[in-house]
Amino acid sequence: MQPPFDTDPATAASARPSLPNLIALRDDTAKPLYQQLEDQLTHLIGEGILPAGTTLPAERQLAEKLKISRATVQRCYNTLRQRKLLSAHGRLGSIVQGMGARLHPGMDRLKGFTEEMRELGRVPSSRILERAVVADRSIASIFGLSSNALFLKLVRIRSGDDVPMSREVAWYNLQIVPELAQADLSQSVYAVLQTLGAPLVLCEQTIEAAAPTEEECAVFGFERPVPCLLIKRRSYSRDSSMVEYVEGLFRGDAYSYKLSLRA
C-alpha cells in the first residue's frame, strides 16, 4: 500500500508532489468545486499519478489544505466511492482502487473492435440492442445513395473482459453486401464481411470529445456524465465503395488512442 500523501513529509515530498499541490480549483467557472475536485482526482487516478493502493488525505485535512469546505471534499469522495475509484477503510481513510489499466490502442491500420481487444489482451464481447433493415435519408446522404436505399442498422454494446467499453451505432450498405442482413453478427462484423467477399481496406475516422446521454451513462455505469470519445468512421471496400458508417461512443475514463507519426 502506498503511504498517505501528507503524513510523511520527509520522504513523500522528495518522491512526488503532495496531493494539494496537484489540485487547482477555480472560482471563475460555473462548475461546482466538488465536480472540479472529482474531475481532477479522476484524471490523476486514470493517469496513474495516484496509483491503486494510495491513501488519500482525510476529508477535513484535504479541505483545510485546499481552503474549501469539508462538505465539498466529502461529496467528491462519496461520488468516487460510488464509481468504485475509492474505497473507505475506516481510520485509514480513502484508498484509491484505480480503474484498471488504461487502454492505448494504436491507429496504424484498419481493424475492428474484436481484433483490437484481442491485441490488448482482453476478451471481446458484444450485446446487440437493435438490428434492423432500414431506409434513412440522412444516412443515405452520408453514403451518397438515394433516399430509399436500404441499410442494416446495428446498435451494440462492445465490451472487453465484460466491461462495457463503447456503445456503437453502425449502418451497412446492403447494396454491396445484401447477405449481411441475415448473417450471424454476434462476433466480428469485419470477419463476416471478409467471408462474404467484401473486406474493408480503408477507413476515414474522426475523434471528438462528447458527453454521454442518460442512456449511455447507464450502459457505462456512470453516476453522472463523464467525458467520452465519439469516434465516427467511414469504411470502404477494394473498389472504393462505402460499406460502413459507424458512430461509436467510447468511455473516456478507461480508453485513449495512441498515434505514431513520422516525418
Side-chain angles (χ1 to χ4, degrees), residues 87-208:
S87 61
H89 285 264
R91 289 180 299 175
L92 291 177
S94 294
I95 310 297
V96 174
Q97 294 293 98
M99 53 177 59
R102 199 173 178 88
L103 298 180
H104 298 283
M107 297 183 70
D108 53 336
R109 61 187 178 86
L110 174 59
K111 54 191 171 185
F113 179 88
T114 299
E115 182 183 2
E116 191 169 76
M117 286 296 106
R118 286 173 177 162
E119 287 184 357
L120 293 168
R122 296 205 173 194
V123 178
S125 60
S126 296
R127 178 163 58 95
I128 297 177
L129 302 182
E130 179 184 347
R131 176 176 177 164
V133 174
V134 301
D136 187 304
R137 180 177 299 174
S138 61
I139 297 301
S141 176
I142 292 174
F143 279 82
L145 299 176
S146 63
S147 59
N148 60 355
L150 294 180
F151 302 92
L152 173 64
K153 180 182 179 181
L154 197 61
V155 182
R156 295 183 292 176
I157 305 300
R158 316 302 302 275
S159 300
D161 289 347
D162 294 324
V163 177
M165 301 301 297
S166 72
R167 181 183 183 273
E168 179 182 281
V169 184
W171 292 265
Y172 296 92
N173 185 350
L174 292 180
Q175 289 186 8
I176 305 296
V177 278
E179 304 92 340
L180 197 63
Q182 304 301 325
D184 178 6
L185 302 180
S186 58
Q187 299 299 321
S188 170
V189 174
Y190 282 17
V192 174
L193 289 171
Q194 179 83 30
T195 301
L196 295 176
L200 301 179
V201 299
L202 174 70
C203 83
E204 299 170 348
Q205 187 162 278
T206 63
I207 303 176
E208 58 191 74

Side-chain angles (χ1 to χ4, degrees), residues 35-104:
Q35 286 189 7
Q36 293 185 51
L37 183 58
E38 179 189 342
D39 289 347
Q40 292 184 41
L41 287 176
T42 297
H43 172 75
L44 293 172
I45 293 171
E47 293 300 314
I49 298 171
L50 298 180
T54 299
T55 302
L56 298 189
E59 294 167 0
R60 186 186 303 278
Q61 213 172 12
L62 185 58
E64 290 175 354
K65 294 283 187 180
L66 296 177
K67 296 181 171 55
I68 57 178
S69 71
R70 180 181 178 182
T72 295
V73 178
Q74 185 178 54
R75 185 169 182 179
C76 167
Y77 276 13
N78 285 342
T79 301
L80 293 177
R81 291 187 192 107
Q82 291 174 357
R83 293 173 56 193
K84 310 300 183 185
L85 298 183
L86 296 183
S87 61
H89 285 264
R91 289 180 299 175
L92 291 177
S94 294
I95 310 297
V96 174
Q97 294 293 98
M99 53 177 59
R102 199 173 178 88
L103 298 180
H104 298 283

